[in-house]
Amino acid sequence: MRGWILTLAATTVATAIAIAVNLATDGRHHPWAWIATVVLTALGGALSEWQRRRDVRKAEGLTPPSDPRPTPPHVIQTAVAGEGASVQQAAGDINNSTSS
């Protein structure tokens, strides 16, 4: 079922609930309006849950697969500067050469 059909159905049920509540609370005794209110509310909840599960399944299907390519090694190089200070370089070679 296309998403717009489910959305249209849920909107129709919500409108029907509003009408049933209006009829049930107008001051006259309308037992069928109260029954319709309960049934339509349950139907609206079922449609909402169906849409939620459909969205979850769609989202699970859209998750990208993991990258099968290996990641390049992380290079950490240390050099000693003047007077014993330590200088570190990460993510690349000192000569700026990278392996492909």
Side-chain angles (χ1 to χ4, degrees):
M1 184 186 280
R2 298 204 185 268
W4 67 270
I5 294 173
L6 189 56
T7 302
L8 182 63
T11 304
T12 303
V13 169
T15 302
I17 290 170
I19 292 169
V21 167
N22 191 20
L23 289 174
T25 58
D26 72 351
R28 297 183 190 131
H29 186 64
H30 293 288
W32 288 108
W34 283 108
I35 292 170
T37 300
V38 171
V39 169
L40 289 170
T41 301
L43 180 60
L47 283 172
S48 178
E49 179 63 16
W50 185 21
Q51 179 70 37
R52 186 191 66 80
R53 289 183 185 205
R54 185 174 169 268
D55 290 344
V56 167
R57 282 192 306 265
K58 184 187 284 186
E60 287 173 351
L62 295 178
T63 55
S66 62
D67 190 3
R69 296 175 295 174
T71 58
H74 184 72
V75 178
I76 298 177
Q77 297 178 347
T78 303
V80 178
E83 299 182 12
S86 178
V87 178
Q88 293 186 354
Q89 177 184 354
D93 195 356
I94 289 177
N95 298 326
N96 202 15
S97 65
T98 56
S99 59
S100 297

